[in-house]
Amino acid sequence: GNNSVFSNGLVLSASSDPVLVIVDAATGGTVNAAVSTADGRPGPRATVVLVPAEDRRQHPMNYKVGTADPEGRITLRGIAPGFYTAIAWESVPETAWLNREFLSKYQEQGMTVNVVPGAPVNLQLKWIPFDADLR
């Protein structure tokens, strides 16, 4: 039907009817980001996360994550259309952004972005410095 595994997940059993899976690569969006430090220098190797809208956060596959290059640049491709908050950390524990309480501390420092098919988005992100309390 019109169900999406990104919204509802997918559970199959041995007795399930055959399932038609359609992968539509043409509808994925692209986000290009340049990460910089508070003093304007490039943010090398920053972890950049696209956090989906609140109603789509239940599935980790709805998040898009990558690492900026040494010049603080990153391109994320194949992003499902929709609204996201883009956040860049100097260093962050892996998957910490999946924790609602953790994310609430940093979400306002991110940038809201609307990803649409065929229209690349260009962002300038400020990285969130390493927090020693995260160890």
Side-chain angles (χ1 to χ4, degrees):
N2 290 325
N3 292 323
S4 168
V5 295
F6 294 110
S7 299
N8 305 320
L10 178 66
V11 178
L12 298 175
S13 66
S15 63
S16 293
D17 289 333
V19 175
L20 174 63
V21 177
I22 299 171
V23 178
D24 186 356
T27 61
T30 301
V31 171
N32 301 301
V35 181
S36 59
T37 62
D39 61 1
R41 292 180 293 128
R45 293 172 294 287
T47 299
V48 176
V49 181
L50 293 183
V51 178
E54 185 91 29
D55 63 339
R56 294 181 47 233
R57 292 185 188 167
Q58 66 276 21
H59 297 293
M61 63 191 314
N62 289 339
Y63 295 71
K64 194 72 169 181
V65 181
T67 303
D69 67 16
E71 286 79 41
R73 301 198 175 277
I74 184 170
T75 298
L76 300 170
R77 293 181 176 85
I79 304 162
F83 285 93
Y84 295 83
T85 301
I87 305 174
W89 281 280
E90 177 184 10
S91 180
V92 62
E94 192 169 329
T95 71
W97 49 85
L98 297 175
N99 179 287
R100 179 182 296 225
E101 185 178 329
F102 175 85
L103 187 60
S104 69
K105 297 175 188 176
Y106 302 101
Q107 192 161 348
E108 288 188 17
Q109 296 177 60
M111 178 179 288
T112 301
V113 58
N114 184 18
V115 176
V116 295
V121 178
N122 298 308
L123 302 175
Q124 293 286 120
L125 299 174
K126 295 287 185 193
W127 79 353
I128 298 170
F130 175 71
D131 184 348
D133 291 336
L134 294 178
R135 288 187 204 182

